[in-house]
């Protein structure tokens, strides 16, 4: 006998032994069993002969499957009849696998139905053929109805394992168990394929397929929980943990898409480095995919899944890992800035898109890079910006200095001299700090850039000192222009305090105050030199008896014309400064002037001082100064000269001392000495009132509201 025939005999014997062991077979059916065995052997031999013929013709090999394995469709039927048992045969589907060919065979219908495991499933108890169920399963897969396909497999699982106490299937159903496991693997593969395609927009039916795949995953999770509640050993594939498979599939999908992001040529800008191109490509891929998740994918999942946040976490984790690798290497300044902007500016903007608002927990994601990697990058960026501020700020000042050295006057706007120094430096600082706040994501860190501003202000001050010292023809116009710069710097420091540290702001304001005072002193010095002869006449007997003060007013008015050229507010402040200095000089001359021996002279001196105060005030008011408080000082001094009653003098002195706490006892004593009819004891009494007034004022904390005046009046 040939080897093939011997093999078939072994197969026949195996089938025979299995049938003999079946509990349903009784002694009275032994003859029919033998008939079945013979028929099966005949079929197997025919199958083998057919395979040999196909090999001889060069056709593909056809492997016969187990003759007890049910199939979904029969493509070729061969009927084997027997004269003695035709009425005992029934049509049962058998499967072979070769180039998709399926063969159908007739087996004996031994017990009126195909044996199966006990089940409580009504659908299985109604006698529906398994081939119809397999056909329905294949059709659901073709239509991508993964949820329905999974439901069919779960129903088959329940028929096999639902009611038995041990999950191992009987020997006669092991093939069906194996087939069920294979079907589950196929379904899982298709579900995973669908998940991997979920981020590709535009494919017809993709959303419906994804929704069905998601439901299939939920079904499997529910079945896992059901088996866990049964308290007995489940099938080998339980728990299947499809939810974990789902999540890991999405994570791998995200990693693959971020590792190979598409970079359209139109998106690559000229001058971009390879780092910038890579980061841009990953960022663009992340943005597009998250928008796809928010607009399409989210609708395929139940709300409690929070799929948007799951994707956001996956992209955050993957993007962060890629950026860490980039940050680990030394980056050029341009790439360092670009990377920081993605971490602190662009990335948050992507997550704040309206389509994603409310569906992703942005705060829970955190920073793309940890602090230990951000710190070196931030230091590199901020140090570079500090250097740029110092360089560009110095260059602005040097440019102005070069023009002055060449004898060029500043440009005029509306008849006023202006300098671009303050405007350019303010724009530079504002732009640097504002952009740095976005790049490093922290205003306090961005403020460190302005540490160099104090140095820039000192360079500006040195430049102005050189201008004043050399006193060239163009020096006065330059200083007038500088007054405008100083005011603009002060306004900037006071209104934009958030751009500076407190220390930097204070230091710069002190420098600017010194610059303003020196500029005003430089511009007013020639005026006082012209007016000095007229100053000398103040407080003399001639001043008291003759109208000499008008000459001083004429001289002041003439000199005021030469002070024009500063911007409006600076010119007004300069006039106020001159008004104050003239008043200071007036009081100084008055305190050391001629003695007033009687009440008549004192009354006349009072009237003269009042008239002078009013005339001086009107002159400066006409020119733009509105410092009425200077007139009030002279008026109160005049009242002290007029009053003869000691208590009245004390009240007037108390009022003057309260308004001007810098009035010293020495200055008050000089004023009282002009009244020669006032005894030394009386002067002491009045002076004591001033001491008490100053002490009360100091205790009340009113020093900040008082204006300094008498501190400028020098008395020997």
């Amino acid at each position: 006998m040939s080897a093939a025939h011997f093999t078939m005999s072994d197969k026949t014997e195996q089938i025979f032994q299995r049938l003999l062991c079946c509990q349903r077979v009784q002694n009275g059916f032994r003859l029919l069993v033998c008939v079945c065995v013979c028929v099966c052997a005949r079929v197997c031999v025919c199958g083998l002969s057919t395979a040999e013929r196909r090999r001889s013709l060069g056709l593909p090999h056809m492997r016969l499957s187990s003759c007890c394995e049910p199939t979904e469709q029969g493509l070729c039927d061969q009927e084997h009849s027997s004269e003695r048992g035709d009425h005992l045969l029934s049509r049962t589907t058998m499967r072979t696998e070769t180039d998709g060919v399926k063969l159908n065979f007739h087996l004996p219908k031994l017990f009126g139905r195909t044996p199966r495991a006990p089940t409580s499933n009504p659908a299985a108890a109604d006698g529906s053929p398994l081939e119809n169920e397999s056909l329905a399963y294949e059709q659901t897969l073709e239509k991508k109805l993964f949820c329905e396909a999974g439901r069919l497999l779960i129903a088959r699982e329940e028929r096999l394992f639902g009611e038995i106490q041990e999950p191992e299937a009987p020997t006669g159903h092991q093939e069906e168990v194996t087939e069920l496991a294979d079907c589950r693997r196929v379904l899982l593969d298709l579900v995973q394929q669908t998940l991997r395609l979920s981020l590709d927009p535009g494919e017809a039916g993709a959303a419906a397929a994804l929704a069905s795949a998601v439901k299939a995953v939920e079904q499997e999770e529910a079945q896992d929980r059901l088996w866990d509640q049964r308290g007995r050993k489940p099938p080998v594939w339980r728990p299947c943990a499809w939810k974990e498979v789902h999540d890991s599939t999405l994570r791998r999908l995200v990693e693959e898409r971020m590792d190979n992001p598409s970079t359209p040529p139109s998106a690559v800008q000229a001058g971009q480095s390879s780092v910038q191109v890579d980061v841009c490509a990953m960022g663009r891929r992340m943005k597009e995919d998250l928008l796809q998740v928010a607009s399409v994918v989210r609708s395929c999942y139940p709300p409690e899944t929070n799929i948007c946040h799951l994707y956001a976490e996956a992209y955050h984790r993957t993007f962060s890992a890629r950026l860490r690798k980039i940050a680990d290497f030394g980056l050029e300044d341009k790439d360092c800035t670009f990377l920081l902007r993605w971490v602190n500016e662009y990335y948050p903007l992507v997550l704040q898109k309206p389509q994603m608002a409310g569906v992703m927990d942005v705060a829970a994601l955190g920073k793309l890079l940890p602090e230990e990697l951000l710190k070196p990058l931030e230091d590199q960026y901020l140090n570079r910006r500090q250097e740029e501020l110092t360089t560009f700020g110095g260059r602005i000042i040097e440019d102005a200095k070069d023009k002055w050295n060449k004898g060029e006057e500043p440009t005029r706007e509306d008849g006023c001299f202006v300098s671009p120094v303050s405007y350019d430096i303010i724009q530079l600082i504002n732009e640097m700090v504002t952009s740095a706040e976005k790049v490093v994501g922290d205003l306090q860190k961005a403020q460190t850039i302005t540490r160099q501003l104090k140095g820039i202000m000192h360079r500006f001050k040195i430049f102005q000192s050189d201008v004043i010292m050399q006193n060239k023809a163009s020096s006065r116009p330059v200083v007038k222009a500088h007054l405008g710069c100083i005011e603009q710097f002060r306004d900037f420091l006071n209104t934009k305090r958030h751009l500076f540290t407190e220390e930097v702001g204070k230091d710069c304001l002190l420098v600017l105050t010194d610059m303003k005072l020196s500029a005003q002193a430089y511009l007013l010095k020639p005026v006082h030199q012209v007016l000095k002869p007229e100053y000398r006449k103040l407080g003399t007997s001639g001043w008291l008896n003759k109208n000499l003060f008008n000459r001083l007013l004429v001289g002041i008015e003439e000199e005021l014309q030469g002070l024009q050229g500063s911007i409006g507010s600076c010119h007004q402040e300069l006039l106020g400064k001159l008004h104050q200095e003239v008043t200071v000089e007036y009081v100084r001359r008055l305190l050391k002037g001629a003695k007033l021996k009687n009440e008549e002279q004192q009354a006349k001196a009072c009237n003269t001082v009042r008239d002078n105060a009013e005339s001086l005030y009107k002159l400066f008011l006409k020119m733009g100064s509105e410092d009425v408080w200077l007139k009030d000082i002279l008026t109160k001094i005049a009242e002290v000269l007029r009053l003869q009653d000691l208590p009245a003098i004390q009240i007037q002195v108390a009022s003057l001392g309260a308004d001007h706490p810098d009035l010293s006892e020495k200055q008050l004593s000089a004023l009282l000495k002009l009244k020669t009819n006032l005894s030394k004891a009386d002067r002491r009494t009045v002076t004591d009132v001033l001491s008490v007034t100053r002490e009360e004022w100091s205790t009340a904390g009113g020093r900040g509201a008082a204006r300094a005046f008498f501190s400028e009046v020098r008395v020997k």
Side-chain angles (χ1 to χ4, degrees), residues 19 110 164 181 187 196 243 255 337 444 567 628 687 695:
L19 292 174
L110 300 180
I164 61 176
L187 178 59
R196 286 192 288 269
K243 180 63 169 61
E255 291 173 358
T337 302
Q444 290 185 343
I567 61 175
V628 67
T687 305
E695 186 176 335

Side-chain angles (χ1 to χ4, degrees), residues 70-74 102 129-143 149 152 156 179 183:
T71 60
E72 303 165 14
Q73 181 182 3
K102 298 181 181 179
L130 291 178
E131 64 179 2
N132 292 338
E133 182 179 315
S134 299
L135 179 59
Y137 171 72
E138 290 184 356
Q139 289 175 345
T140 57
L141 293 185
E142 291 175 359
K143 296 179 180 179
L152 291 174
R156 189 182 302 181
E179 180 183 3
C183 290

Side-chain angles (χ1 to χ4, degrees), residues 367-614:
K367 290 273 191 179
L368 274 175
L369 289 178
E371 187 63 28
E372 59 269 19
L373 287 179
L374 280 175
K375 182 74 165 60
L377 294 175
E378 290 172 351
D379 290 344
Q380 178 182 347
Y381 169 77
L382 293 174
N383 290 337
R384 178 60 180 170
R385 297 299 273 175
Q386 288 180 17
E387 294 174 0
E388 290 176 351
L389 178 59
T390 302
T391 301
F392 294 142
R395 192 175 297 169
I396 292 170
I397 295 174
E398 287 299 319
D399 183 61
K401 189 174 182 179
D402 290 341
K403 292 181 179 179
W404 171 70
N405 286 329
K406 295 176 182 177
E408 298 180 13
E409 287 189 353
T411 57
R412 282 179 177 265
E413 293 182 4
D414 298 329
C416 303
F417 294 106
V418 294
S419 170
V421 171
S422 58
Y423 178 82
D424 292 343
I425 293 179
I426 287 173
Q427 290 296 106
L428 182 64
I429 295 171
N430 191 60
E431 185 276 329
M432 280 191 170
V433 178
T434 303
S435 63
E437 181 184 3
K438 295 179 180 179
V439 173
V440 301
D442 190 318
L443 178 58
Q444 290 185 343
K445 293 178 180 178
Q447 287 176 345
T448 59
I449 294 177
T450 60
R451 290 175 182 171
Q452 308 302 318
L453 182 58
K454 183 179 178 181
I456 295 175
M457 291 293 103
H458 274 295
R459 294 180 66 174
F460 189 32
K461 181 180 178 181
I462 292 172
F463 169 44
Q464 179 173 284
S465 298
D466 291 341
V467 172
I468 292 174
M469 185 178 297
Q470 296 188 31
N471 196 24
K472 297 180 180 180
S474 60
S475 291
R476 289 178 67 84
V478 169
V479 172
K480 290 177 182 179
H482 281 187
L483 284 175
C485 291
I486 293 168
E487 183 181 69
Q488 290 174 350
F489 276 132
R490 291 181 67 88
D491 291 343
F492 179 61
L493 289 167
N494 287 323
T495 58
K496 301 289 185 178
R497 293 182 181 180
H498 63 282
L499 300 179
F500 314 93
T501 62
E502 185 177 356
E503 180 183 1
V504 169
K506 288 182 178 179
D507 291 343
C508 291
L509 287 174
L510 289 175
V511 174
L512 292 172
T513 299
D514 290 342
M515 290 183 65
K516 182 181 74 170
L517 293 177
S518 64
Q520 290 176 342
Y522 171 71
L523 294 174
L524 296 179
K525 184 178 179 180
V527 177
H528 292 303
Q529 288 176 344
V530 172
L531 298 177
K532 192 172 183 180
E534 302 303 325
Y535 288 152
R536 291 180 179 148
K537 300 175 183 177
L538 297 174
T540 64
S541 57
W543 160 77
L544 189 60
N545 298 317
K546 300 177 183 179
N547 194 9
L548 300 178
F549 190 73
N550 286 337
R551 296 180 182 178
L552 177 62
L553 295 177
V554 172
I556 292 174
E557 189 170 6
E558 290 176 353
E559 292 300 318
L560 287 178
Q561 303 301 322
L563 294 179
Q564 295 180 356
S566 301
I567 61 175
S569 56
C570 294
H571 181 64
Q572 183 177 352
E573 189 175 0
L574 184 63
L575 291 179
K577 181 69 172 175
L578 178 60
H579 189 180
Q580 181 176 348
E581 290 182 354
V582 170
T583 306
V584 166
E585 187 65 21
Y586 185 97
V587 173
R588 187 178 74 84
R589 297 283 178 172
L590 178 63
L591 293 181
K592 70 174 186 177
K595 304 301 181 183
L596 306 174
K597 298 179 180 181
N598 51 51
E599 183 177 350
E600 182 182 355
Q601 288 184 346
Q602 294 171 12
K604 188 175 183 179
C606 172
N607 293 331
T608 302
V609 172
R610 281 181 175 177
D611 292 342
N612 293 167
E614 185 67 24

Side-chain angles (χ1 to χ4, degrees), residues 260-269 272 276-282 284-285:
N260 301 285
S262 59
T263 308
S266 59
V268 180
Q269 299 179 4
Q272 282 190 325
Q276 295 174 18
V277 172
D278 291 343
V279 173
C280 271
M282 288 189 290
R284 186 180 300 106
R285 168 55 59 205

Side-chain angles (χ1 to χ4, degrees), residues 68-141:
C68 292
E69 181 180 1
T71 60
E72 303 165 14
Q73 181 182 3
L75 299 180
C76 178
D77 292 342
Q78 295 184 4
E79 297 184 355
H80 300 275
S81 61
S82 171
E83 294 179 1
R84 298 173 56 188
D86 242 359
H87 63 285
L88 299 175
L89 299 180
S90 65
R91 190 171 184 175
T92 303
T93 304
M94 309 299 295
R95 180 175 62 189
T96 63
E97 297 179 0
T98 170
D99 298 335
V101 178
K102 298 181 181 179
L103 301 178
N104 294 334
F105 299 95
H106 288 288
L107 290 178
K109 183 176 181 182
L110 300 180
F111 311 110
R113 62 179 181 178
T114 302
R116 62 180 181 273
T119 179
S120 59
N121 191 323
D126 64 1
S128 300
L130 291 178
E131 64 179 2
N132 292 338
E133 182 179 315
S134 299
L135 179 59
Y137 171 72
E138 290 184 356
Q139 289 175 345
T140 57
L141 293 185

Side-chain angles (χ1 to χ4, degrees), residues 309-324:
H309 190 65
L310 187 148
Y311 268 106
E313 283 184 327
Y315 274 102
H316 179 87
R317 189 182 306 107
T318 306
F319 200 11
S320 176
R322 303 303 182 271
L323 294 186
R324 287 185 187 211

